[in-house]
Amino acid sequence: MPSDKNIELAISDDHASAPPKAAKKILDVAYDLFYRRGIRAIGVDEIVKRAGVTKPSLYRSFPSKDELAASYLRQYDLEFWQRFDEAVDAHPGDARAQIRAFLTRVGKRTQMPQYRGCGMTNAAVEYPERGHPARVVGEDNKRELRRRLRAMAAAMGAPDADTLGDGLLLLIEGAYISGQLFGLGGPAQSVAANADLLIEASLKK
Amino acid sequence: MPSDKNIELAISDDHASAPPKAAKKILDVAYDLFYRRGIRAIGVDEIVKRAGVTKPSLYRSFPSKDELAASYLRQYDLEFWQRFDEAVDAHPGDARAQIRAFLTRVGKRTQMPQYRGCGMTNAAVEYPERGHPARVVGEDNKRELRRRLRAMAAAMGAPDADTLGDGLLLLIEGAYISGQLFGLGGPAQSVAANADLLIEASLKK
DNA sequence: ATTCATACGTACCGATCGGTAACATTGTCA
DNA sequence: TGACAATGTTACCGATCGGTACGTATGAAT
């Protein structure tokens, strides 16, 4: 579900020129199709057809399908950090509550019927080749997420913050995958509870 | 790395007929290529070329590419349970030690340079459509793994065994994904330590 | 030696893949 | 009104996709 916010910002160049409308429609449709059915599974023909545009329009706005996929993932990345920061901002100075808020939301999100996993994680699975435009977006996101989780673990006062931060990342990625494998009632439903248990144990160590 | 054991069993029919040698070569090559580079990324032409056979040979042994992929995953499933049961058999009656042994091995395995995640998880990501031959193999595997992990958590005496079992599954899936995202030195390295912490906390609850 | 099933190879199928060339049409703003 | 940028139209490219029709080699039993 691509939000309309920030899309123009992601598409238009730094001049305040009028943003092409076709590019937005293309990216919206690509976002939906790539996420729901996979990048490799979707051809550019289907994208332009569903977007009501033509192929040359796609290639005027995006240099290649791979770069279109990367644009989709950059949008996904943006929305991810919006969700993450919402949880963080809701509990200023309380890293543990921030984690709890974020993971509670993840637990719900991953149980939704249309949930199909993390778009960036999925893309990395679809494109194992190092340096692929779609893959690097995901790699950067995960690296940054790891950094922040470790920092939050340290802020909680965990003796071994790196291990706890990594443990939280494992739980999160596990929830992403389990959500799309099991659907409703799967292991992802208990991600927040397990994280809390893990945090508790790590702080007392 | 497909082991030669059990392959004939997986290929040949229940009559003790002589198994076609081409099918084994095809499955071996398909296993390697599908795992390393993804199922959708590999065409049947490349498989038969690398296997030194021809396309009709492939379609005489396997009804379709999708079914070949399913055969690859059934082989992967077989080897998965071999690894799992090795850890279990090494510590009879001690579920906690069994988990520790298995996860220690997972932690190492997911750090190897050629590691590319769990073949079944990856296939489920590549084929989100319900009922796809490749997907169902993975779904069955995960369902059974969940059942066994929950049973082991109960055997440990966890008050909320289902939650602990699910937590372990989340950590495992997280390790699979993180292994291929981060490689050496990634969060997967601490999967066993985090699992132990989580178990400890769950038992004391 | 002939038979007969089985495995294999050559050549091909239509469809789709990502991507492009060349040109017509539109809407907007000066 | 003229100019310009964005989009559309049509047709095409070579490559690859999964899959098959059909003839040929091979090996064991008779």
Side-chain angles (χ1 to χ4, degrees):
Chain A
M1 2 30 203
S3 85
D4 286 3
K5 302 168 296 188
N6 300 91
I7 288 204
E8 297 194 359
L9 191 144
I11 292 181
S12 65
D13 43 5
D14 21 10
H15 314 74
S17 64
K21 292 189 294 185
K24 178 184 177 339
K25 284 194 292 185
I26 290 166
L27 186 54
D28 279 357
V29 170
Y31 188 115
D32 180 57
L33 292 178
F34 282 163
Y35 177 73
R36 278 180 24 235
R37 297 172 43 197
I39 299 172
R40 294 200 115 115
I42 298 297
V44 290
D45 293 277
E46 183 162 1
I47 294 174
V48 299
K49 189 178 170 188
R50 303 265 272 247
V53 300
T54 56
K55 227 181 326 182
S57 272
L58 191 158
Y59 283 98
R60 274 187 279 260
S61 299
F62 304 93
S64 66
K65 183 199 176 186
D66 286 348
E67 282 302 329
L68 172 59
S71 292
Y72 141 60
L73 291 173
R74 277 189 288 271
Q75 182 62 26
Y76 195 100
D77 173 74
L78 230 66
E79 294 166 13
F80 169 83
W81 289 115
Q82 283 173 13
R83 288 190 295 269
F84 190 87
D85 286 336
E86 271 178 37
V88 168
D89 296 344
H91 305 275
D94 187 349
R96 187 164 178 180
Q98 291 167 354
I99 292 286
R100 197 187 338 245
F102 178 66
L103 285 191
T104 300
R105 188 160 169 181
V106 167
K108 282 180 191 153
R109 215 173 109 81
T110 54
Q111 303 272 91
M112 313 257 296
Q114 351 78 305
Y115 185 73
R116 252 277 290 152
C118 169
M120 296 176 289
T121 300
N122 292 352
V125 170
E126 285 199 271
Y127 295 97
E129 314 94 51
R130 294 209 189 292
H132 189 286
R135 186 184 179 85
V136 296
V137 179
E139 285 179 342
D140 290 350
N141 173 277
K142 302 304 179 185
R143 209 164 11 240
E144 172 65 8
L145 177 58
R146 187 192 198 194
R147 195 189 63 75
R148 291 190 66 167
L149 288 173
R150 287 176 153 200
M152 291 165 86
M156 291 184 219
D160 190 348
D162 284 354
T163 295
L164 174 56
D166 284 359
L168 294 173
L169 184 48
L170 295 181
L171 287 175
I172 291 168
E173 290 295 333
Y176 291 158
I177 288 292
S178 297
Q180 66 177 304
L181 267 167
F182 288 88
L184 192 64
Q189 72 189 350
S190 63
V191 61
N194 274 295
D196 222 54
L197 237 42
L198 183 60
I199 291 170
E200 188 77 19
S202 299
L203 296 187
K204 283 183 179 166
K205 241 302 148 62
Chain B
M1 1 31 199
S3 83
D4 286 3
K5 300 168 300 189
N6 300 91
I7 286 202
E8 296 196 358
L9 190 144
I11 293 180
S12 65
D13 44 4
D14 22 8
H15 313 74
S17 63
K21 291 188 292 185
K24 176 180 179 341
K25 284 194 292 184
I26 290 167
L27 186 54
D28 279 357
V29 170
Y31 188 115
D32 180 57
L33 292 178
F34 282 162
Y35 177 73
R36 277 177 28 231
R37 297 172 44 198
I39 299 172
R40 291 200 118 113
I42 297 297
V44 291
D45 292 279
E46 184 163 0
I47 293 174
V48 299
K49 189 178 170 188
R50 302 266 272 247
V53 300
T54 57
K55 224 178 331 182
S57 275
L58 192 158
Y59 283 97
R60 262 173 235 121
S61 300
F62 305 92
S64 66
K65 184 199 174 186
D66 286 347
E67 282 301 330
L68 172 59
S71 292
Y72 142 60
L73 291 173
R74 278 189 287 271
Q75 182 62 27
Y76 195 99
D77 173 73
L78 229 65
E79 294 166 13
F80 169 82
W81 289 115
Q82 282 173 12
R83 288 191 294 270
F84 190 87
D85 287 334
E86 271 178 36
V88 168
D89 296 344
H91 304 276
D94 187 348
R96 188 164 178 182
Q98 291 167 353
I99 292 286
R100 199 190 334 249
F102 178 65
L103 286 191
T104 301
R105 187 161 169 180
V106 167
K108 283 180 191 155
R109 213 174 111 82
T110 53
Q111 302 273 93
M112 312 259 294
Q114 352 78 303
Y115 185 74
R116 254 275 291 151
C118 169
M120 295 175 290
T121 300
N122 293 352
V125 170
E126 286 199 272
Y127 295 96
E129 315 95 50
R130 292 208 192 293
H132 189 287
R135 185 181 180 87
V136 296
V137 178
E139 286 179 343
D140 290 350
N141 173 278
K142 303 304 180 186
R143 208 165 10 241
E144 171 66 8
L145 177 59
R146 187 190 198 194
R147 196 189 61 73
R148 291 191 65 166
L149 288 174
R150 286 177 153 200
M152 290 165 87
M156 290 185 223
D160 191 346
D162 284 354
T163 296
L164 173 57
D166 283 359
L168 295 174
L169 184 48
L170 294 181
L171 288 175
I172 291 169
E173 290 295 334
Y176 290 157
I177 288 292
S178 297
Q180 66 178 304
L181 267 167
F182 288 87
L184 193 63
Q189 71 190 350
S190 63
V191 61
N194 274 296
D196 223 55
L197 237 43
L198 184 61
I199 290 170
E200 188 76 21
S202 299
L203 295 186
K204 281 182 181 167
K205 244 298 149 63

